[in-house]
Amino acid sequence: MKLNPEFITAFVYCEVGDFEAYFPLNSRKDSVLTVVSGVAASGLALSIAIAPAQAANASRSSVAPEARSLVVVPYALGWKDVLMTAFEYVLENVKSLKKYPATFSDNGSRATVTPGSVQFNKGSNGVNMVDKKVYAQKAGHRIEMWANSQQPFYRGSIGVVLRKGSFKPINRTVGHNQYSTYKVGSGRTGNYIASFNSTSKHKWRIRIGYNHCGVKSYRALGDLDAPSVGSFVDVGDEKFLVPSDSFKRPKPALRALGGPEGEYDFSGLYEEFYDSELDSLVDVPKTLPVDSSVVVSNKISRVHSNAEEDATYFHFDNARVAVELPFAGNLTKRFAVGDRVKFKFQMNRVIDGYDFVTFDYTDSTSAEGVFPKIEKFIDG
């Protein structure tokens, strides 16, 4: 049957397991009952949830009782429509999902959404997982997933999964700034679920990108009154967040406490890398020169050893965001709660032409695969 898009006001969409189908609903010829009965007759178990704008005159009572999984959706949903829907937070002890709005921006070729920073596994009803619907409109487009840690020196990871039924083109764990991408294959367009999951008590700023290559969404939503979620620079398999224009305007209260190279506590160091306009940490120092070192002095809140890892964990909970630093060996006889420890960290430029930096502490941990010795970082 040849369809005339001018007359189609909705599609009837059904999904059972890995099966997806759209049935055109022609407002001049078809009725919801006709379509529902036809779908039900195919042997699928269906339910009804009719979009009011497209089927205002349809009556649930007129639908065949055997039709149990049916959705009437607006005609020609596009990537923008779905990308702007809410994020869904899966909580540990709560059956219902919590919805958080998506902050959307588009640079003309890639659209990006984020719910902001997510604190995973905090409290009895902490967030275990965050889901987001993404619509792959055309083969060759790309879906991207990544997360930025909101804790300095964090070396942990977060799980990222992109799924369409049993098909999972992305299914891995990633660290700070690492991104995963899927190029939509032929015959693989349609709805996907992008999921972020973590078993650690950690705060991540999660992001999803849709590289639409300049192709417009099927439906135009008009002008968007939404703040930018920032732009990024790709370096290898990592995405580095570019600071806002207002970031490098040093405020006296955030400057170093003293000394030729500056001395901070962990709260001060957090502020050095915090972009208030983007509400996120960035990998660019606000006042310190790139390739310089920074001295951080802080009292230990908790300290404990892990025999299996042959490591000692130092916790600094009184910082703006709690910091955890593990070092090699059992150091519990040398350090105790309340001791003030002074560290010296070296900042290393990531790539020429930009002020992105990493710390030698995290670099050595990643390169060696084991925790570094504390002697390398103790100052004095």
Side-chain angles (χ1 to χ4, degrees):
M1 177 178 66
K2 187 175 181 180
L3 302 177
N4 186 344
E6 181 182 353
F7 297 151
I8 300 173
T9 58
F11 275 109
V12 178
Y13 169 75
C14 64
E15 181 174 354
V16 179
D18 292 343
F19 175 80
E20 286 185 315
Y22 281 91
F23 296 82
L25 180 61
N26 186 323
S27 62
R28 298 192 179 186
K29 296 181 179 180
D30 296 333
S31 68
V32 174
L33 177 60
T34 302
V35 177
V36 171
S37 300
V39 175
S42 68
L44 297 176
L46 303 173
S47 70
I48 183 82
I50 300 177
Q54 283 69 41
N57 298 322
S59 170
R60 288 175 183 255
S61 62
S62 67
V63 178
E66 65 270 22
R68 296 183 188 166
S69 182
L70 181 87
V71 179
V72 177
V73 295
Y75 167 57
L77 282 175
W79 59 261
K80 184 183 291 186
D81 304 76
V82 179
L83 204 60
M84 290 181 65
T85 59
F87 285 78
E88 297 180 335
Y89 288 20
V90 181
L91 307 182
E92 184 173 359
N93 294 316
V94 181
K95 291 184 179 179
S96 60
L97 301 174
K98 291 188 68 176
K99 294 182 180 292
Y100 280 77
T103 300
F104 174 95
S105 70
D106 186 3
N107 66 5
S109 62
R110 177 198 283 132
T112 307
V113 289
T114 177
S117 296
V118 181
Q119 175 67 61
F120 285 86
N121 304 299
K122 183 178 182 179
S124 59
N125 291 324
V127 179
N128 291 150
M129 183 167 62
V130 177
D131 287 348
K132 177 73 181 72
K133 294 177 182 178
V134 185
Y135 182 74
Q137 182 171 305
K138 184 178 180 181
H141 289 183
R142 292 180 183 271
I143 300 172
E144 301 170 327
M145 302 174 65
W146 71 101
N148 310 110
S149 169
Q150 297 301 294
Q151 174 185 307
F153 305 106
Y154 188 67
R155 310 146 326 284
S157 58
I158 184 171
V160 293
V161 180
L162 181 68
R163 66 182 188 272
K164 179 179 172 67
S166 60
F167 177 54
K168 297 180 180 179
I170 297 177
N171 187 8
R172 61 191 294 233
T173 57
V174 296
H176 173 61
N177 285 351
Q178 273 189 296
Y179 74 93
S180 302
T181 183
Y182 166 61
K183 184 178 181 180
V184 180
S186 177
R188 292 290 189 180
T189 58
N191 289 304
Y192 287 77
I193 299 293
S195 293
F196 296 82
N197 61 84
S198 175
T199 58
S200 301
K201 294 180 180 180
H202 188 68
K203 181 181 286 187
W204 293 90
R205 193 170 183 88
I206 61 178
R207 294 178 169 89
I208 298 171
Y210 185 72
N211 194 328
H212 52 82
C213 309
V215 174
K216 292 184 178 180
S217 182
Y218 287 146
R219 297 174 66 210
L221 299 182
D223 294 333
L224 297 171
D225 184 17
S228 171
V229 299
S231 57
F232 301 85
V233 173
D234 293 355
V235 181
D237 68 342
E238 297 179 316
K239 286 185 181 293
F240 287 82
L241 179 60
V242 177
S244 65
D245 292 337
S246 64
F247 176 71
K248 286 208 168 184
R249 297 175 187 169
K251 299 177 177 62
L254 301 183
R255 295 191 67 85
L257 301 179
E261 295 174 313
E263 183 176 314
Y264 293 78
D265 60 11
F266 280 113
S267 291
L269 187 66
Y270 180 95
E271 295 292 348
E272 177 70 20
F273 289 87
Y274 176 70
D275 190 319
S276 58
E277 184 174 329
L278 297 178
D279 188 25
S280 179
L281 289 183
V282 293
D283 295 285
V284 176
K286 189 175 296 176
T287 63
L288 294 171
V290 177
D291 294 323
S292 67
S293 59
V294 57
V295 175
V296 181
S297 176
N298 222 106
K299 286 186 178 181
I300 301 172
S301 302
R302 292 177 290 132
V303 60
H304 65 90
S305 63
N306 185 313
E308 184 176 343
E309 295 179 339
D310 187 27
T312 299
Y313 284 76
F314 292 77
H315 297 268
F316 304 93
D317 298 334
N318 56 346
R320 173 170 173 178
V321 173
V323 174
E324 174 189 272
L325 291 178
F327 292 97
N330 188 339
L331 305 173
T332 54
K333 293 184 179 180
R334 290 179 54 187
F335 300 93
V337 172
D339 289 351
R340 179 170 290 277
V341 188
K342 184 182 289 188
F343 298 104
K344 186 175 184 179
F345 301 108
Q346 175 67 38
M347 293 184 291
N348 300 317
R349 186 187 295 270
V350 173
I351 185 174
D352 291 341
Y354 295 92
D355 290 341
F356 302 125
V357 300
T358 58
F359 286 99
D360 56 352
Y361 172 82
T362 49
D363 291 344
S364 63
T365 302
S366 302
E368 299 166 9
V370 295
F371 300 127
K373 293 183 177 181
I374 197 169
E375 286 76 14
K376 180 179 178 181
F377 301 97
I378 290 291
D379 183 59

